[in-house]
Each structure stands twice: as C-alpha cells, then as structure tokens.
Amino acid sequence: MWTKLSADAVPVVERFDWFNDVVSHSLMPLALASERSADFQAEAAVLDLGVVQVSSFAYSHVRSRRTPALIRRGDPEQYQLSLLTRGRMWMSQCGGEAELAPGDMILWDTSHPFEADCRPGKGTLGALVVQLPRTALPLRAGRIDPLLGRRIGAESGMAAILAQFLTSLGTHGSECSPQELRRLGTVAVELSAAVLAQRADAYGELPAETRTRALRERIDVFVEHHLGDPELTPGLIAAAHGISVRRLYLLFREGPESVSATVRRRRLERCRDDLARPELAGRPVHDIAARWCFGNAAAFSRAFRDAYGISPTEFRRAAARVEQPRQPQQSRQSRQS
C-alpha cells in the first residue's frame, strides 16, 4: 500500500522545511532551495516492494545539491532511477548532464555528488523514483557509472516497458497484497537491470534468469498491443522477438497457461471490458467480439460463458444495471419526505 504524505497538513511557513525532511528521510540528505519556498506545494508517497522502494513526488520548483559532506552524513548506497511524469528537469552527475521532459528517465548514484534543477512550470513537477540497492543490480559499477546523470529515453523497447510498469505501480500498487508487492519488487529490479544493461551494451552480462524474465515482459507487452490483430500467432510473436516458436513455448511452459491460451484470455478480457462500457451499449455483441478477433459469434458466446459463467448479453445487462444512475430513487425519496 502507498504511504502518502501531503504538505497540505503542514502550516504554509513550514512546508518547504517539511519537504526537505521528507526527501532526506525517504531518499537521502540533500541541500534544497526554491524560488517558491513561501508558498511551497508538495505531496509524497512511498510503496515498499521488499528489495526496492518506489517513491512518488509532486512538488514546486526545487534546486538540489548532493555534496560530499551530505554523503558523509547519510548514504543509502543506492542507484536511484527516476521517471519524470510532469514538468522539466536538469541534472548533472559524474560528468553526465541531461535535460529531461515528461516520459524521460535518469539514473543517479547516492554515493556521488550531483546537482539538479526541477522546474514544474504551472502546478507541480511529478516524478516516480525507484530506489535500487547497488548490491541488487547484477551489473558492475564500471558498466553503470557512465550512465549516471544521462537521459534515458522511454519511447520504445525495455525502457518503455519499465516506464509503463512504474506508471502502473502508481495506479494499481495499492491494490496488491504484500506477497504480490514483493514479486513486483523483483520485477522492478530485473526490468531496471535490463534497461541499464542495454544502455551500457552489457545485456549479455545479465544472469540468464534476468534475461528470460525481461524477454517475457517484452512478449507480454507485445501481445497486449496486438490483441486486435488477427495475425497474432505464436509464429508472429516469436519472429518479432528473434526467437524460435519452440523457445516461445518453453518460455510459457513454466506459467499457468500456453501462448494461445494467454492471447485468448486477454482478448476475452477486452471483450468483457467493452461490453461494460456505456458508450458502446449500442454496438452489437458480435461486432465487439469481431473487434477482438472472435469471428464466430456462437463460439465466442461459448468461450465467454466458459470464462465468466454468464453469456455476453447477460453480462452486458448486468453491467448496465450497475451503471444506471440512482437519481430516480433519490427523487422519489425527496418527494416522500
């Protein structure tokens, strides 16, 4: 569960000092300055994933410095990987320097000095920070250090998958059990390691298990993005990832379902979601089924009933009843009173 903090609960004159304390305790000691310290706004939240911690921040303009003296005062000995979600940011560490826009990521090491300037524009800057113990990453410091303070674009590939994963944690992390969060912590480490290894041209140095899990993540995202393609077959999936169909089957053999069963389940989930959408209430069931590559209406109905214990039409009616506004009942109660 996300542990949330807000400056709204703090007197205005104390909010900037409060934020300084939050950052020092949740990330590391920093020297902060702001042109908005008199009317500072900030929110913070922390999600414990076991081996790693993810922090979410929203705050007014801040300039920060990590000096040798502050490192001596407190050093968690971590790599911290940040995804900028709103605003602009400049950072410099160990000879690396970068200007970031929303969607960009950047890595820093808490054991080295750095400088940063976070400029939110209107409102507050937003960022998600993954705190990775150096011992958790299966890469040598000599491979990682050249990446410090440099922009990591998340437009495609493993970096895009990591960015989507972090964004999903922000949205759905509170819905997960402690056991699920620990598993997600392992995923966070392995995705981060895969991204950094690719950037450092050291992907082959990752443990085989880490490379395998990263490949599964890439395949899962590929499948999700191509569910509406009738040509989505094991052969296409394997070819898109440069592996044989046999290797693809082996990757899925350790899971609860086959490749084809995974595609079929996700397509049924998309159909279920569409059937529950009020704006699609006028679209025939068979059209929705066809949109997600179920060409035979009778076969789709049987598959849907097998998966959810109810026919598509019955599900749509039940979903519509849940969505119906309660205004008429409230009006009757008002007239009775």
Side-chain angles (χ1 to χ4, degrees), residues 271-280 288 315-316 319-320 323:
C271 292
R272 181 192 58 188
D273 293 344
D274 282 358
L275 288 169
R277 291 168 58 186
E279 66 270 27
L280 298 180
I288 288 176
F315 175 83
R316 171 177 265 181
E323 289 291 332

Side-chain angles (χ1 to χ4, degrees), residues 11 17 44 65 76 120 146-147 168 179 185 219 239 255 264 270 317-318 323:
D17 290 337
R65 289 187 301 118
L147 305 178
S168 295
Q179 183 179 4
I219 290 171
R264 184 181 182 85
R270 292 291 185 92
R317 288 172 183 162
E323 289 291 332

Side-chain angles (χ1 to χ4, degrees), residues 75 77-81 91-98 106-114 132-135 137-152 192-193 195-202 205:
D75 184 8
E77 298 185 351
Q78 295 174 342
Y79 292 112
Q80 296 183 354
L81 182 66
M91 187 174 192
S92 175
Q93 185 179 50
C94 295
E97 184 174 340
I106 194 165
L107 179 76
W108 61 82
D109 186 335
T110 63
S111 298
H112 294 295
F114 67 76
L132 299 154
R134 286 207 294 266
T135 55
L137 285 178
L139 289 169
R140 295 179 288 110
R143 287 293 198 180
I144 297 178
D145 285 354
L147 305 178
L148 300 176
R150 302 184 185 277
R151 173 185 175 272
I152 300 174
S192 299
V195 169
L196 297 176
Q198 282 190 336
R199 298 283 297 187
D201 196 21
E205 297 180 14

